[in-house]
Amino acid sequence: ASEEALLKARRDSTQSVRNAYRSVETDVRAVAARAQAIISAQSALEATQVGAEVGTRNVVDVVLSQRTVFQARRDFANARFNYVIDSLNLNQAAGTLSPQDVIDLNEWLNSASE
């Protein structure tokens, strides 16, 4: 029975690491996509502003474009947050999470907020 329990624990651990790794891979792609969405939304905003200046767009269009930019930035921040959390989960599942990882994350968060 103990051998079966050990085998099950190994399988569960392996599955947990694989799932965490896949999550991190997905997060990397999501962060890149969200960064591109910011660029796209910013370009659309600039075009809408120019259209408002020449009279082909109105203020409502500009405000909607600004909202899209802010939503893209929010989505990018959420994607980065998910990446950080999933990276920590991967390190935990792999058994490599250390206090230094948390210290490094804290320093990165402090520098990002400044």
Side-chain angles (χ1 to χ4, degrees):
S2 63
E3 286 180 17
E4 289 297 322
L6 177 63
L7 186 57
K8 182 182 181 325
R10 284 184 182 162
R11 284 189 202 133
D12 290 346
S13 176
T14 301
Q15 189 65 35
S16 178
V17 170
R18 285 182 182 154
N19 289 340
Y21 180 75
R22 286 187 196 110
S23 292
V24 170
E25 281 186 325
T26 301
D27 292 338
V28 167
R29 291 183 181 99
V31 168
R34 298 300 182 190
Q36 187 60 44
I38 291 173
I39 294 168
S40 177
Q42 187 66 42
S43 295
L45 172 60
E46 291 168 4
T48 304
Q49 288 172 332
V50 169
E53 290 173 8
V54 297
T56 60
R57 298 285 187 160
N58 60 33
V59 175
V60 174
D61 294 331
V62 174
V63 171
L64 291 175
S65 290
Q66 288 174 334
R67 182 177 71 174
T68 302
V69 170
F70 293 131
Q71 287 172 338
R73 289 180 181 166
R74 181 201 59 213
D75 292 344
F76 177 71
N78 287 337
R80 286 180 47 182
F81 174 78
N82 290 337
Y83 169 77
V84 168
I85 295 300
D86 288 341
S87 294
L88 290 174
N89 287 336
L90 174 60
N91 285 342
Q92 179 187 16
T96 60
L97 186 64
S98 70
Q100 188 60 44
D101 293 328
V102 177
I103 291 168
D104 292 343
L105 174 61
N106 189 45
E107 289 175 3
W108 178 74
L109 289 171
N110 285 335
S111 68
S113 65
E114 294 174 356

